[in-house]
Amino acid sequence: MTAAEDRSPVVAGLLLAAGGGRRLGGRPKALLTHRGRPLVEHAVGVLRGAGCQVVHVVLGAAAGAVRERAELPGCVLVDNPDWAEGMGSSLRAGLASLATDARGVDAALVLLVDQPGIGVEAVSRVRAAYRSRDSLAAASYDGERGHPVLFGAGHWAGIEKTAVGDRGARDYLAAHRDAITPVDCSDVAEPYDIDTEADLAHLE
């Protein structure tokens, strides 16, 4: 039995929080206020509540301000200087950071900072779909794939090769559709994004 097998698997939370909020007048999404605190804090709390003891947060737009204003104790903060290229660059940066974590991460549970309607229960369900470092799982909403998504470490290299622009892991997941375990979360979460001024009504 290897050292990796002789321990509980580490499913780390990977929060993508680099967006600049272009359609929100350039307000970084991580710093939008939700329940009195920055949205990035809320999302980290969801990952922690779902059992992710290891959490890496990818920052981009206004990274310095996020570090100053948000309380993110115990998180590994990853700066993505290429955040403006889109979600793909943040996913690559996050997976690269997880790969070097000394705690030996077996899977990444990817959550987006601008989806506060996805809470602990949905994230817990997807986390529970982990079986091995070859696992692939994704939340499903009325039959449509969404977030969070779980990537076993065996898939990271392939994802990093295809994660470009705003497509993130979409192309990789499409190519491995049959390997994905869908996890229905329609009854416990709403996968809306905070993209426009109208969407701000979702924040509390």
Side-chain angles (χ1 to χ4, degrees):
M1 182 173 285
T2 67
E5 292 169 332
D6 191 25
R7 60 169 173 77
S8 298
V10 177
V11 178
L14 178 55
L15 179 63
L16 304 186
R22 180 173 47 84
R23 286 183 284 173
L24 290 167
R27 281 178 285 175
K29 293 183 178 183
L31 289 174
L32 295 173
T33 300
H34 183 55
R35 299 177 182 172
R37 297 299 302 164
L39 193 54
V40 65
E41 281 186 26
H42 170 78
V44 165
V46 169
L47 288 167
R48 295 271 194 224
C52 295
Q53 296 182 8
V54 177
V55 177
H56 288 224
V57 182
V58 181
L59 303 177
V66 176
R67 287 173 179 270
E68 289 176 9
R69 299 182 203 171
E71 296 178 8
L72 304 169
C75 293
V76 176
L77 303 183
V78 183
D79 286 314
N80 174 21
D82 301 319
W83 64 269
E85 294 179 6
M87 189 193 306
S89 66
S90 290
L91 182 56
R92 293 196 308 271
L95 293 177
S97 180
L98 289 176
T100 62
D101 193 300
R103 290 164 286 192
V105 177
D106 297 290
L109 187 56
V110 181
L111 186 66
L112 307 182
V113 75
D114 68 342
Q115 293 192 317
I118 299 174
V120 170
E121 191 162 355
V123 177
S124 295
R125 285 185 187 181
V126 178
R127 184 176 182 274
Y130 176 84
R131 295 294 179 270
S132 75
R133 291 169 69 91
D134 291 322
S135 291
L136 273 181
S140 173
Y141 302 93
D142 298 323
E144 295 291 323
R145 190 177 70 238
H147 284 85
V149 182
L150 184 142
F151 301 124
H155 295 280
W156 295 357
I159 292 169
E160 288 180 27
K161 289 178 182 176
T162 59
V164 295
D166 274 322
R167 296 186 64 78
R170 195 177 306 168
D171 292 344
Y172 187 87
L173 291 172
H176 295 78
R177 185 179 295 107
D178 293 342
I180 301 170
T181 299
V183 182
D184 185 29
C185 295
S186 305
D187 59 325
V188 294
E190 296 181 77
Y192 54 77
D193 300 310
I194 306 297
D195 279 336
T196 67
E197 291 285 344
D199 296 331
L200 294 174
H202 289 296
L203 299 177
E204 299 172 19

